[in-house]
């Protein structure tokens, strides 16, 4: 993995957004692209901020009912190419328990829209504790997380 300095990463994200907007062919397309990106970012923030606030309703509204949330475990005694699996219900229950509740002054999270094509989007979320890669889908005017692959960061010692 190539690690960028946070300031450089923010500039790269901003440039990617500008290129995506510049690629649109009309003012209406520009507005639609910007609106889609803002809605996708709002869904990402509902997911992460809802967990940090311990707000299960906020997390639930960001998730597709058939969410597939996974983390790579590797080979285990029970499974080759093992995955840790989590459903929408499990994630909402963990949120209700306050598993990631964090004072707002300690929040450090970033949602980056990687790609949007029609009603599909790819998003990267980073916090001090984990990185999530989302596949989002747009259902009518609502974006929700359909798939999530996450990487739990090693705990600082």
């Amino acid at each position: 993995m190539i690690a960028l300095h946070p300031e450089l990463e923010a500039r790269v994200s901003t440039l990617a957004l500008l290129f995506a907007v510049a690629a649109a062919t009309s003012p209406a397309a520009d507005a639609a692209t910007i609106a889609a990106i803002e809605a996708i970012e709002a869904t990402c923030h509902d997911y992460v901020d809802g967990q940090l606030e311990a707000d299960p309703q906020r997390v639930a509204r960001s998730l597709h009912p058939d969410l597939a949330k996974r983390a790579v475990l590797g080979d285990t005694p029970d499974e080759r190419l093992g995955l840790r699996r989590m459903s929408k219900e499990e994630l909402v229950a963990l949120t209700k328990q306050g598993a990631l509740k964090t004072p707002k002054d300690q929040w450090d999270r970033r949602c980056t829209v990687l790609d949007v094509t029609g009603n599909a989007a790819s998003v990267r979320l980073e916090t001090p504790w984990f990185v999530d890669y989302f596949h989002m889908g747009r259902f009518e005017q609502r974006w929700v997380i359909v798939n999530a692959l996450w990487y739990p960061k090693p705990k600082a010692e």
Side-chain angles (χ1 to χ4, degrees), residues 70-117:
R70 309 284 185 255
V72 173
L73 295 175
D75 291 345
T76 70
D78 300 321
E79 183 177 27
R80 173 126 172 79
L81 304 175
L83 294 171
R84 179 170 178 217
R85 296 164 176 84
M86 188 179 301
S87 68
K88 175 182 179 175
E89 293 77 16
E90 290 170 309
L91 183 57
V92 170
L94 284 171
T95 301
K96 191 173 184 177
Q97 294 168 13
L100 285 180
K101 188 168 183 169
T102 304
K104 195 164 191 167
D105 64 343
Q106 295 176 21
W107 290 12
D108 180 15
R109 78 280 190 267
R110 181 174 326 152
C111 294
T112 305
V113 178
L114 303 173
D115 184 56
V116 182
T117 304

Side-chain angles (χ1 to χ4, degrees), residues 12 14-24:
V12 169
T14 301
L15 282 174
L17 176 60
L18 289 174
F19 283 125
V21 171

Side-chain angles (χ1 to χ4, degrees), residues 106-154:
Q106 295 176 21
W107 290 12
D108 180 15
R109 78 280 190 267
R110 181 174 326 152
C111 294
T112 305
V113 178
L114 303 173
D115 184 56
V116 182
T117 304
N119 63 359
S122 294
V123 180
R124 182 180 193 272
L125 164 65
E126 183 164 4
T127 75
W129 311 283
F130 57 84
V131 175
D132 269 301
Y133 291 95
F134 300 140
H135 290 140
M136 290 191 191
R138 184 180 63 213
F139 297 86
E140 296 183 14
Q141 297 305 311
R142 183 172 162 229
W143 287 92
V144 294
I145 300 165
V146 177
N147 297 309
L149 180 64
W150 98 95
Y151 170 75
K153 292 182 175 178

